Amino acid sequence: MSRRAPGGVLRPQRLLHEATRDSARLRPPSGIGLDSPGVRMRMVERLRQLKLADDFVLSAFERVPRHRFVDSAFVPQAYEDTSLPIGHGQTISKPSVVARMLQLLAEAPGRLRGGAEVRLGRVLEIGTGCGYQAALLALLSERLTSVERIAALHHGAQARLSALKSELPLCSFQLLLADGSLGRLGVGPYDAIIAAAGGEAIPEAWLQHLAPGGRLVAPVARGAGGQRLMVVDRVRGAEGPQEWRLTECEGVSFVPLKSGVLV
Ligand code: SAH
């Protein structure tokens, strides 16, 4: 039966119905869909089976809604172990890679004070991106500084983290719009430094901002377009060239560390 009024004009009631239906269709799926806590828990279970991280690190993955950090088109893939585009040619890293890096920070020798509940301390992140890893870090750290060089990503992450603050017990955090390969890295020293972008070498400023007993985890270029994950421990109390101990880990694939700020 036609609901059109004489003259072909849609009745207001019908218009309202269609508008409601369209807004429901355009909204990213929620509740029982692909962004439900159940789907998130299944992702965490898969990470647990991979034995990449312990309960301390996985507790953060259980709580942070990854689907809120990606574009609505990617919500159905938000809890798959895959990297996803976040705009401006950048990507949010695979959950398994993030878990591995956070676990490396959690296992820093200087941090082991007996007990899984000891937090990561003062943390610096290079490459805020969409803010997902920053949110995980903000649940695991005492305070967090995160640096991003692309203004649009910086502002987006700021909005998401500010919204999440009322829902989760995030530590005090500061997001900076800056080139993280230079010295503008907030107030150091840091107990943990983590980079989500890889350059030719680890910038000197990062090494200097690392506290004695602290650990840095970063991808570094290793010939023919490959990258490797590097762990740098700053040995407590030591002096001279042996102060930073470097361990080369597995091959990885991160976006490049670039210079300058894009506003
Ligand atoms: N941890 C992020 C991953 C983002 S990808 C997330 O959860 O989304 C890496 C980010 O590093 C990109 O946003 C890129 O713009 C940023 N980046 C690259 N070079 C940088 C630099 N010199 N200073 C700060 N950020 C940088």
Side-chain angles (χ1 to χ4, degrees), residues 116-131:
E117 295 309 314
V118 181
R119 291 181 162 233
L120 294 183
R122 303 158 292 180
V123 177
L124 170 66
E125 178 190 44
I126 315 290
T128 316
C130 65

Side-chain angles (χ1 to χ4, degrees), residues 210-249:
L210 193 60
R215 174 172 277 193
L216 180 160
V217 180
V220 176
R222 273 285 172 268
Q227 285 175 337
R228 292 198 90 79
L229 201 57
M230 299 288 182
V231 173
V232 181
D233 289 309
R234 187 164 188 173
V235 182
R236 195 170 279 173
E239 281 175 19
Q242 297 304 315
E243 195 173 342
W244 289 272
R245 194 176 295 148
L246 184 84
T247 311
E248 197 168 315
C249 302

Side-chain angles (χ1 to χ4, degrees), residues 118-247:
V118 181
R119 291 181 162 233
L120 294 183
R122 303 158 292 180
V123 177
L124 170 66
E125 178 190 44
I126 315 290
T128 316
C130 65
Y132 175 67
Q133 182 175 275
L136 297 170
L137 286 167
L139 285 171
L140 301 173
S141 315
E142 270 150 29
R143 73 171 163 81
L144 170 71
T145 302
S146 183
V147 187
E148 172 57 56
R149 63 180 284 274
I150 300 176
L153 292 177
H154 162 80
H155 294 305
Q158 183 76 62
R160 289 187 199 98
L161 288 172
S162 300
L164 212 56
K165 220 162 54 174
S166 60
E167 299 167 41
L168 293 174
L170 305 185
C171 71
S172 134
F173 63 86
Q174 182 190 29
L175 304 189
L176 300 177
L177 176 60
D179 177 348
S181 56
L182 303 173
R184 261 206 69 206
L185 299 170
V187 183
Y190 295 101
D191 304 302
I193 300 180
I194 182 167
E200 295 296 315
I202 295 171
E204 180 64 26
W206 300 1
L207 298 175
Q208 294 303 333
H209 276 73
L210 193 60
R215 174 172 277 193
L216 180 160
V217 180
V220 176
R222 273 285 172 268
Q227 285 175 337
R228 292 198 90 79
L229 201 57
M230 299 288 182
V231 173
V232 181
D233 289 309
R234 187 164 188 173
V235 182
R236 195 170 279 173
E239 281 175 19
Q242 297 304 315
E243 195 173 342
W244 289 272
R245 194 176 295 148
L246 184 84
T247 311

